[in-house]
Structure formats: C-alpha cells, structure tokens
Amino acid sequence: MNKPMRRVAIFCGLLILALLARVNWVQFVQADELQNDANNRRTIIERYAQPRGDIIVDGEPVTGSVETDDDDFTYERTYTDGELWAPVTGFTSLFRSATMLEGVEDEFLTGDDDRLFFNNTIDMLTGEDPRGGNVVTTLNADAQRAAYEGLGDAKGAVAAIDPRTGAVLALVSTPSFDPNTVTGNSEEASEAFAALSEDPDEPTLNRALRQTYPPGSTFKLVTATGALENGLLPDVDEPTDTPDPYYLPGTESEVTNLTNDRCENATLRIALVDSCNTVFAKLSDELGNEQMIETAESFGYNQGEDLTIPIRVQESVYPEDNAPQNAQAGFGQASNRATPLQMAMVAAAIANNGTLMEPYMVDKLVAPNLNVIEQHEPQEFSRPMSPETAQQMQSAMESVVSDGPSHDAASIDGVTVGGKTGTAQHGEENSENPYAWFVSYAMVDDESPVAVAVVVEDAGVERDAISGSGLAAPIAHDVMEAVLGSQE
Amino acid sequence: MSSTSNTTVSTGGLPSRRNTELAMLVFAVLLPVLAYANVGLAKDESLPAGMAGYGLGLGLLAGVMHLVVRRWAPYADPLLLPVAVLLNGMGLVLIWRLDQEPTITTDSLGGPMAPNQLLWSTVGVALFILVLLFLKDHRILQRYTYISMVVALVLLVMPLVPGLGKNVNGARIWVSLPGVGSLQPAEFAKIIIVVFFSGYLMVKRDALALASRRFMGLYLPRGRDLGPILVVWAISLMILVLETDLGTSLLFFGVFVIMLYIATERTSWIVFGLLLSVGGAVFVASFNSHVKTRVDQWLDPLALASNGGVTESAQVMYSFGSGGLFGSGLGQGFSRLIGGIGAKSDYILATVGEELGLAGMMAIILLYALLIERGFRTALAARDPFGKLLAGGLTAVFALQIFVVAGGVTGVIPLTGMTMPFLAQGGSSVIANWALIALLLRISDTARKPAPAPAPSLDAEETQVVRA
C-alpha cells in the first residue's frame, strides 16, 4: 500500500503548494490593489487614527481634532469659525476625499508625508503620540472677517493678496457652510453632506478660486495696460481718438457708454474713471486678439490647471476670437472670464510697480515638534508691464477712486487707494442681475500691502441698485482697512 | 522496497527522540507566550494580565502530554506533539487577541472566547491522554468497524434531528446539548468514519481491487462492492443538501476515495470518485442558493452585496491585502471589520494574514504541512494494513480539511464553513483534533517500537513480509 500512499502524500503536498502559491498571490501580488480598494475601510480608519495636524491663521489654529467614542474613527476633525474659513480649509470627511488645504496638504496633515518620517521616528522613540504636521497659512484673520461680514447674506467672493509677495490675505466665498456638520461618522453627518451637495446655492463651491465670472469693466485695467505697454498711447492723459458711439469692427453693432458724454476722444484716465466701453473696445481692436491674449496671459490668464496656490485655481480665460468679439472682450463683456483671485492679481501687478508675484497661501509646513519642514519663498510670476506703465496705471486708478462714483465707499483717510469698478452683464440677453465687481489696492509709503478683488453675484437688491461702487467697493474698503490696521 | 525506505519501515527500532520533543515543546510554549506579550504591548502598552495564566495553562498541558507520551508512547514521532501545541497556543493567542475587539465580542456574539477555548483545549488534552492511556494498540479499533459506522452516521445525522440541531449562518451543522453548549458532531464523525473505512477496506480491499471488470480502460468494481461507495456518496450529498455543509461532504467523500485508492491501488477508483463528486457538486450547485452564493463570492470576492455593503469575503481579502509581506503586527490589524463570529472561527486565517503577514501565513501553512508530512510518514512506517489505512486516512482528513478551509478563506476554492484545526475557535474541533493527534502518535509509536508487538492477525503480518 506504500506506493499509493506516497502518491496521496504527494497529492496533499500539491494541495499545500496551491495554498502557498495562493497566499503569495494575494498577499504579495495583489496586496497593493486590495489595500487601496475604495471599499477597504482600513484606509479611512488609519486616516483618523491619530490627531490631524492643524491649519493655522495668524498663529491660531482654525482647525482641531477631538477624540470620539466611535469604534473605527478615533479622532474627528473640528473647525473653528467653520463658515468663515471653509474656502481656505475645505473639509475632510468620511464621505468624500478632502478638499482645499485639507485635501492639498492631506499627507502632511495626516503625518504620512515622507518629509515627516524623521520627526515621526524621533517621536516614536521618545514616546510621543504620533500626530500630523501643521500648515501655516498667509491669511489675515481680520481681513478675512471683514470680507466675510461685508458680503453678509449676499452671494459672492473676495480675494485679497499682498502685491509685494503674492501672499493671499483673504479668501472668502458666500454662501458658506460649516464643515463641522459633515466630519463625523453619523447619520446626521451623511445627511448634512447630501444636503450640501444638492444645495442649489452651492455652498461648497469656492467662488474666489473656482468660479469664473465675466470681469466686466474691471478688465479695462488689462486692456489699458496692453495699450500703454504696446505703445498705442504714450500716457494715460493722451486723448484716444475714440468716436462715441463706436461700432464693433465690421458690424453694425453699436457700443455705447452708460455715463455722460466725456467718453468721446477721452483720455485713458477719463475712460477708466467714467468706465467708457467705447474707448476699450477700440483699444482692444487696435491691439488685436493676439496682443490681447498675450497681455492677459502675462497677468495669469489661460494657465490651464497650472495655477495652484497650492489649491488649484480655476483657469481664467481670454480665448481666441474674431474681431468684434475681441473688441467687446476689451471691456470685459465677451467670452473672457476671470476668477476673483485673477482680478486681484491684476490689481496687485499694477500696485507692485509692474511685477506680479506668484500667489500662495501656505507660508510654511511645520512638523509637530515645530521644526519647519518647508518655507515658502515669494516668487516672481511675471512682469506684465514696465514700472513706468505701472505708475501711469496707478495714477489712473487713484483718479478712479478720488473722482469716480466709488469715492465715498472706497477711499481711506491718509491712504492712497486705487481701484476700478465693474458691473458685468450676464445671462441670456443680459436678463439676469449683473455681477458687481470692485478691484482695488491700498498704497502706504510707495508700497502696496494689499490688493483686493470683490465680486457680488447676487445681493438680493433691485437691478438698478447694482453697481460695483455701491455693492462691492465698501467690502474692498473694509478688507484694505483691516489689512492696514493689522500692520500697524 | 528501496533502501531509503529503511528509515520509515524499520524492524530495528529508532531512537525515541523524547528529549528532542521536550526541547521543541519548550519552544512551542514560549512562542505563544511571547505572542501574548506582543498583543498586550500593541493594544494597551502593558503586558496582558492573562498572559501568565494562559502561558502556565499551555505549559502545563504540554508538560503533561509530554510525560504521558514519554511513559506510554515512548517511540512516537517527536514532531507531532510540539507542532500541535504550537498551533493550539497560537490559536489561543489569536482568539484572545480578537476578544480585545469590542465590536466582535458583544454578548450576543458570545462574549470573550479565549477562556472557553482554553477549557476546551484542556478537554481535548484529556481525551488525548485517555487515548494514549487506554488504547495500547491501535489494532483494537479494528474490532469496532461496524459500530464505528453506526456511530459516525448517527453523529452526522444528529444536526437534522429537530430540537437537537440548530441552524447557524445557513448551515445546520451544530447540535446544542443542554449544559454543555454547542457541538459540531461532524468533527468527531470524521475520525470515527476513518476508523470504519480502515476496518472495512482492510477486509474488502482484495475484492475491490481484483474482482472487477475492465471497461473502456477502467477497472469497474462489482455492484456489491460498489454499493457502500454509492452509499457514502449519497450520504455526503445528503449532508450537503440537508445541512448545507459543503466542507464536511467534500471531506468525507474525498477521504473515502483516497482510502479506497490506497487500499486497492487502483487508479480507476479515483476517476470514478472524481466523476461522482463532480456530478454531485454540479447537481447541488445548480439548485441550492446557499452554495450558489458561495460560488459567486468565490468568483468575485470584492463584489458588493446586493444592499451595497461590503461582503465578508471582500473583508477577508482586504485583510490579506493589508497584511502584505510582514503583517501589521499582532493586535494592530483590523480583521474585526470582517465582523460577526466568523472572525474567530472560519476566518481566523484572515487575522493571521493581516497581523503576521505573508511570512506568518506561510509559517502556519508549513506547520500544518509538517503535521501532514509526519502523518504520512507514520502511515508509511506502520507495519499493519489497518494501521496504514488508519494513519493515512486520518492524515488525509486533516490535509483535506486544511485545504478546504485555507483554500476557501484565501479563495483557491469556494468558501465552506469549517474550522482550521487547533487555530480556530471551536470546542468540538480542538477536542477531536487532539484525539486525532493521539491516534497518530499511537500508530507511530507502534511502528517505531524496536520489538514489534505480536500481531493479532498472522495474515496481516505475512502479507507485510511478502510486500516488504
């Protein structure tokens, strides 16, 4: 009986071999795939196994972590003034991947970042509990609050940057939401998340970075810069030889102006103060589509997905177009669109004497033991204009505030303020309420510490009451004042 | 026989190797104790309170078993006992470790199970000692061939008796005894039926092997010899259908085919057996929804359940994947996500895979392989055909069970509800497997004894001489 016994033994050996081969396949070949499977709860459990690092504004964390009694999730994310900071922090929840800074710096905040390895090892050896690193932002709490309160119940966004460095000082989007409602592992949290996703007002949309609007008259700053830079005009006080009304090239379409009759043959300064559409339509046409695209791109337009601060910024576009469209784009009423941050960058480049700094909102990444892991160095983004052109533009923008309709709303005692209003038509045949824009900067001792762009989509007011100077300028004023105040 | 077989089949006797066994036993007890410390440190950063208790308990059991073997089975194989002790010890650690997870240790799920498992292990060890003490020669069992058959059949049918059997997770394989708890009679039946097969085949082997007609290249047996085979086939099908116990039916039928082949040395039995089992499996799978679900989950383990939930089979695969090469370390995995009572019984290998990694999994599988190898070696060494068949049958049962469970959990074959011997939680299983090890030790002791005991059957002895 030994011969069949040996064969059976070999057969059983083969069974064992099959088991060994299978576990090698599952635990070696398939391991990564299984580990990263979307339905594998381990990933999310490990995410919340240790306190997440904080996002810090002005030295104070705007986030926190609390221990829960949940079986799977040891820590839960909390947010201080969640509605105020939501466009900056974003949120991290069980129901969706993290957004905004929570998402971009996720690895660092959870402590998984390779750069934290050394610190984590030291912590482990010294018996410290593991925790994530902190993200220190460039934001200014006073400016953020001023912008948020200024927008109030209106739908809109504010972006403010420091023109000298590109540091983002305020980033507000309304209506906002409280991220605290969606962080937990509960029925209410998942319902709150579902409600947020379905809200027609899109509270989770970061309007300052992710929504593009027709820039309206604020785009005239770009057209004016292009005209001066390309030598169409020697300075802002040279008459432009513009007829009123102006006909779009090759068409019978008339471009008119909303204000008085100063627009005919106006200088750039007057054209900016009175927001003369005719002047900028003609300048845009004279520059041509290619030149206009080039100018817009030097301010940050048409960047695709490349512009990150480090949150990805929606692309602002100035597209290729035919002549009449291009002329209309010259005063911001065609297919060109911009994010509020983009318009703040335009104001910042002018305020910073022609040098546009790369916008950023993470100043440094700090390990739990306070070691600085990464420090941001301000970078030049581009030079859209010469210092001379910048001075001309500053002088004109200052006239806009001192002589224009936004004077009462925007000017600050003892500070030079330059600005530009905008009222952007939108909707089919301009049927919907226009967007109110205001971009501005404040200047102290020949240096500008703040440039700001405000857009109010819908403030719930009568159509006739909508204007950049009426709705948006006061908010810009408060933000600039807050920045100046906190620097004293 | 070639000269190499002298090491297995020997009339000269072998060194007893009892001291080797003792040294390995020390290791087999120490390893689980260290594993306890590991779990405690990982979970609470302190040595667990129960560590001393479990360690002492396991050490005591191992010591007593060793002394019994030393006294009553001095020439037994030295590897069987240490490997079984190590597996039992690791099983206790794994169950205790899973007891630390509140979500799968609720009252409705039976609460902590490690203390009971230690108790059942003790009962198993007691049975082990009784077997070695009272069964001086395994050939005595030959007398109980037909009684064994009756007992095995009764045990198999017990779960179907109303009021006695109970349905758990779609399989009716438990019997609840008042005051004792739940038992899985199939675990005991598997040993007893091997005793029956050995006795029956030893008598019938020549008839089965020689009295057959050649048909299409196969030796077909006579109808009256075929009868019992068809009966066993029908019984295993009945178990499958009525108790929906895939594992047990596969086990019983597989063991019968293997033992038939060993006894008759005719390949035709294997072909015949395979045809019958494939036929039975297809027949059952085509209308039984329980079996069909298992097959579907085997083909696509990561598929979500109909309500969108993650299935147990998916959770098990995630456990294995998360373990990777070296595992998360004992106490640091998430196999509790599998949920329910399965984590401590059927799916305990998932915890091994996740917390000890591929390395640990292979080590555990190789420990089982070692037991199987020693079992077959004992069968080869046995001098009497009954002992050969018994040892071979018991080892085959053990090997098939390992393959069916481990293969089911890791996805080589569809999942069947059975326990991993020694490792998984379950009283019947640990008791029955200790008895199985005791029988193997007894046979190997007889085989390796220097002076062969006088054979009760002269026929058997002579046959052996001729064949050797």
Side-chain angles (χ1 to χ4, degrees):
Chain A
M1 285 193 276
N2 280 354
K3 197 170 147 196
M5 187 75 78
R6 284 178 201 280
R7 285 197 181 143
V8 169
I10 288 168
F11 168 71
C12 290
L14 290 177
L15 292 185
I16 295 289
L17 215 61
L19 290 180
L20 289 176
R22 174 67 184 177
V23 293
N24 272 279
W25 177 259
V26 173
Q27 297 204 263
F28 183 70
V29 181
Q30 285 190 312
D32 279 346
E33 189 188 324
L34 288 168
Q35 229 166 339
N36 299 323
D37 192 282
N39 291 314
N40 191 347
R41 214 169 154 80
R42 282 168 185 73
T43 11
I44 202 159
I45 290 179
E46 269 160 24
R47 256 180 95 81
Y48 296 99
Q50 56 191 48
R52 202 173 160 81
D54 283 320
I55 294 171
I56 292 171
V57 175
D58 279 349
E60 297 285 333
V62 294
T63 57
S65 282
V66 286
E67 235 174 301
T68 66
D69 9 310
D70 192 274
D71 287 323
D72 285 348
F73 310 108
T74 327
Y75 289 94
E76 188 181 314
R77 192 55 147 176
T78 59
Y79 295 90
T80 317
D81 279 334
E83 297 202 343
L84 176 64
W85 295 108
V88 177
T89 58
F91 66 97
T92 172
S93 86
L94 301 175
F95 314 107
R96 226 187 81 173
S97 52
T99 63
M100 303 302 143
L101 280 185
E102 290 272 41
V104 178
E105 302 293 355
D106 189 49
E107 283 204 345
F108 196 83
L109 289 164
T110 54
D112 288 343
D113 194 292
D114 289 340
R115 290 170 292 177
L116 286 172
F117 178 78
F118 182 70
N119 284 289
N120 285 346
T121 314
I122 299 285
D123 278 356
M124 202 175 73
L125 293 176
T126 55
E128 292 274 334
D129 283 333
R131 58 172 297 151
N134 295 331
V135 173
V136 179
T137 68
T138 59
L139 284 122
N140 179 314
D142 294 337
Q144 180 85 358
R145 204 170 295 277
Y148 183 70
E149 282 165 6
L151 281 169
D153 294 331
K155 201 192 271 188
V158 174
I161 50 187
D162 183 336
R164 299 167 297 183
T165 58
V168 174
L169 301 172
L171 207 63
V172 172
S173 172
T174 55
S176 190
F177 68 103
D178 185 359
N180 285 309
T181 56
V182 294
T183 51
N185 178 28
S186 64
E187 197 62 28
E188 298 91 75
S190 76
E191 276 165 21
F193 185 82
L196 276 182
S197 328
E198 284 157 22
D199 193 326
D201 283 340
E202 299 178 273
T204 56
L205 173 68
N206 187 340
R207 293 176 162 79
L209 300 180
R210 297 278 172 84
Q211 180 74 304
T212 60
Y213 302 89
S217 302
T218 57
F219 191 78
K220 290 169 183 168
L221 296 172
V222 177
T223 313
T225 306
L228 290 169
E229 273 296 285
N230 289 290
L232 281 188
L233 297 163
D235 59 52
V236 290
D237 294 311
E238 180 77 14
T240 53
D241 196 18
T242 313
D244 186 10
Y246 171 80
Y247 291 92
L248 289 176
T251 70
E252 302 292 309
S253 299
E254 200 180 74
V255 174
T256 54
N257 299 306
L258 292 169
T259 47
N260 58 33
D261 49 7
R262 286 210 293 173
C263 287
E264 188 172 352
N265 200 21
T267 64
L268 261 187
R269 186 187 303 275
I270 299 294
L272 282 171
V273 172
D274 284 0
S275 214
C276 301
N277 294 339
T278 48
V279 172
F280 293 97
K282 176 168 175 277
L283 287 174
S284 181
D285 182 49
E286 282 170 11
L287 279 166
N289 191 231
E290 218 167 292
Q291 286 291 356
M292 283 302 289
I293 289 174
E294 203 173 291
T295 308
E297 284 178 359
S298 70
F299 279 103
Y301 275 80
N302 298 348
Q303 294 288 310
E305 302 267 298
D306 289 348
L307 189 60
T308 56
I309 65 166
I311 300 171
R312 181 182 59 79
V313 181
Q314 183 73 32
E315 181 187 38
S316 298
V317 289
Y318 192 100
E320 282 183 31
D321 257 330
N322 55 24
Q325 279 286 320
N326 179 59
Q328 242 184 328
F331 56 98
Q333 285 293 193
S335 44
N336 53 334
R337 298 178 70 86
T339 58
L341 180 78
Q342 174 61 65
M343 292 323 293
M345 285 163 71
V346 170
I350 294 167
N352 196 37
N353 297 322
T355 304
L356 177 57
M357 299 303 285
E358 205 170 274
Y360 69 99
M361 60 192 288
V362 173
D363 182 38
K364 54 192 170 188
L365 300 177
V366 183
N369 61 4
L370 303 181
N371 280 358
V372 175
I373 303 292
E374 188 182 293
Q375 169 78 53
H376 183 91
E377 295 297 334
Q379 304 267 324
E380 196 179 299
F381 181 88
S382 65
R383 287 175 188 259
M385 70 199 92
S386 64
E388 295 74 40
T389 306
Q391 249 119 50
Q392 294 277 323
M393 288 299 296
Q394 286 168 18
S395 151
M397 282 178 77
E398 281 149 22
S399 298
V400 172
V401 172
S402 55
D403 304 340
S406 55
H407 176 264
D408 293 339
S411 53
I412 303 171
D413 281 349
V415 178
T416 313
V417 175
K420 181 72 195 86
T421 55
T423 313
Q425 315 286 339
H426 81 120
E428 198 85 9
E429 299 288 321
N430 299 335
S431 54
E432 295 186 42
N433 277 355
Y435 299 133
W437 276 94
F438 192 75
V439 301
S440 66
Y441 64 86
M443 193 75 89
V444 183
D445 301 333
D446 288 337
E447 270 200 342
S448 169
V450 56
V452 59
V454 178
V455 61
V456 179
E457 268 184 58
D458 186 358
V461 296
E462 288 294 313
R463 188 180 174 107
D464 290 346
I466 297 170
S467 70
S469 52
L471 289 176
I475 302 171
H477 168 269
D478 290 353
V479 172
M480 290 188 291
E481 207 167 48
V483 174
L484 295 172
S486 62
Q487 285 186 340
E488 273 162 12
Chain B
M1 275 295 142
S2 63
S3 61
T4 51
S5 64
N6 281 343
T7 53
T8 54
V9 182
S10 161
T11 48
L14 296 161
S16 78
R17 301 262 188 240
R18 287 279 74 79
N19 291 335
T20 316
E21 181 185 81
L22 182 61
M24 284 192 290
L25 270 176
V26 170
F27 183 69
V29 172
L30 221 56
L31 211 62
V33 171
L34 290 176
Y36 269 113
N38 189 342
V39 176
L41 290 174
K43 283 257 158 238
D44 311 314
E45 291 170 15
S46 65
L47 291 178
M51 185 175 113
Y54 284 109
L56 273 179
L58 192 67
L60 209 65
L61 292 180
V64 171
M65 282 191 286
H66 172 71
L67 289 178
V68 169
V69 171
R70 196 176 265 268
R71 172 72 182 78
W72 280 284
Y75 293 94
D77 188 291
L79 260 175
L80 287 168
L81 185 58
V83 172
V85 167
L86 178 54
L87 285 170
N88 200 161
M90 285 311 291
L92 284 169
V93 176
L94 287 167
I95 295 162
W96 180 78
R97 176 259 167 279
L98 288 168
D99 280 347
Q100 312 304 305
E101 301 290 350
T103 47
I104 52 170
T105 314
T106 57
D107 282 342
S108 60
L109 288 174
M113 289 175 171
N116 265 333
Q117 186 69 8
L118 185 63
L119 191 71
W120 290 122
S121 304
T122 313
V123 175
V125 167
L127 190 58
F128 172 94
I129 292 168
L130 287 178
V131 169
L132 285 182
L133 232 60
F134 291 103
L135 189 70
K136 295 286 184 226
D137 191 320
H138 60 268
R139 277 166 289 194
I140 298 168
L141 290 175
Q142 230 174 307
R143 294 178 203 155
Y144 305 108
T145 301
Y146 290 96
I147 295 179
S148 301
M149 184 187 77
V150 174
V151 172
L153 286 181
V154 167
L155 283 173
L156 278 178
V157 178
M158 262 167 82
L160 295 177
V161 178
L164 202 59
K166 58 174 185 177
N167 216 329
V168 181
N169 298 330
R172 196 179 173 90
I173 50 176
W174 273 271
V175 164
S176 59
L177 297 177
V180 181
S182 296
L183 283 180
Q184 250 178 294
E187 287 284 345
F188 299 99
K190 77 182 182 193
I191 297 179
I192 296 171
I193 206 142
V194 170
V195 173
F196 158 66
F197 286 160
S198 305
Y200 176 80
L201 291 173
M202 209 201 68
V203 178
K204 295 276 184 181
R205 51 193 287 241
D206 291 332
L208 284 166
L210 304 170
S212 53
R213 285 161 297 163
R214 212 181 142 85
F215 178 70
M216 286 174 70
L218 289 177
Y219 288 98
L220 284 187
R222 290 183 307 193
R224 59 178 144 162
D225 301 320
L226 190 66
I229 295 157
L230 290 175
V231 167
V232 170
W233 178 69
I235 290 173
S236 54
L237 263 189
M238 187 193 76
I239 301 170
L240 179 55
V241 175
L242 296 177
E243 304 181 7
T244 47
D245 186 0
L246 240 71
T248 309
S249 44
L250 198 77
L251 199 68
F252 279 51
F253 197 69
V255 161
F256 191 41
V257 170
I258 285 177
M259 290 182 73
L260 259 173
Y261 171 63
I262 294 174
T264 61
E265 307 193 14
R266 288 241 179 264
T267 324
S268 50
W269 284 108
I270 300 215
V271 177
F272 198 66
L274 281 178
L275 286 179
L276 282 180
S277 55
V278 167
V282 170
F283 168 68
V284 170
S286 57
F287 75 89
N288 187 311
S289 66
H290 183 73
V291 177
K292 196 178 170 300
T293 322
R294 291 278 169 92
V295 172
D296 287 345
Q297 290 188 348
W298 170 58
L299 292 175
D300 188 4
L302 299 186
L304 295 178
S306 51
N307 61 359
V310 180
T311 57
E312 278 185 351
S313 49
Q315 292 287 12
V316 169
M317 292 310 278
Y318 295 147
S319 284
F320 283 124
S322 304
L325 283 184
F326 299 108
S328 59
L330 276 173
Q332 290 170 304
F334 295 99
S335 45
R336 64 177 149 89
L337 293 176
I338 298 166
I341 199 169
K344 292 176 191 174
S345 54
D346 292 17
Y347 297 125
I348 197 137
L349 271 183
T351 306
V352 174
E354 178 166 10
E355 306 199 343
L356 299 175
L358 176 60
M361 266 302 264
M362 299 225 289
I364 293 281
I365 291 174
L366 287 176
L367 280 179
Y368 283 114
L370 206 57
L371 275 185
I372 294 163
E373 191 260 350
R374 298 317 287 183
F376 280 121
R377 204 155 271 270
T378 299
L380 287 171
R383 297 184 181 108
D384 61 304
F386 177 73
K388 256 186 204 308
L389 278 170
L390 187 58
L394 289 176
T395 311
V397 155
F398 196 79
L400 283 181
Q401 184 161 359
I402 302 299
F403 179 72
V404 165
V405 184
V409 173
T410 57
V412 183
I413 55 170
L415 186 77
T416 58
M418 277 177 100
T419 52
M420 210 61 193
F422 296 116
L423 215 54
Q425 182 272 330
S428 330
S429 171
V430 74
I431 296 173
N433 283 305
W434 272 121
L436 191 151
I437 296 289
L439 283 174
L440 282 179
L441 280 174
R442 169 54 67 221
I443 300 168
S444 91
D445 176 56
T446 316
R448 292 161 51 104
K449 230 176 247 180
S457 154
L458 263 177
D459 282 353
E461 194 64 13
E462 273 173 5
T463 313
Q464 191 60 31
V465 169
V466 168
R467 289 181 156 259

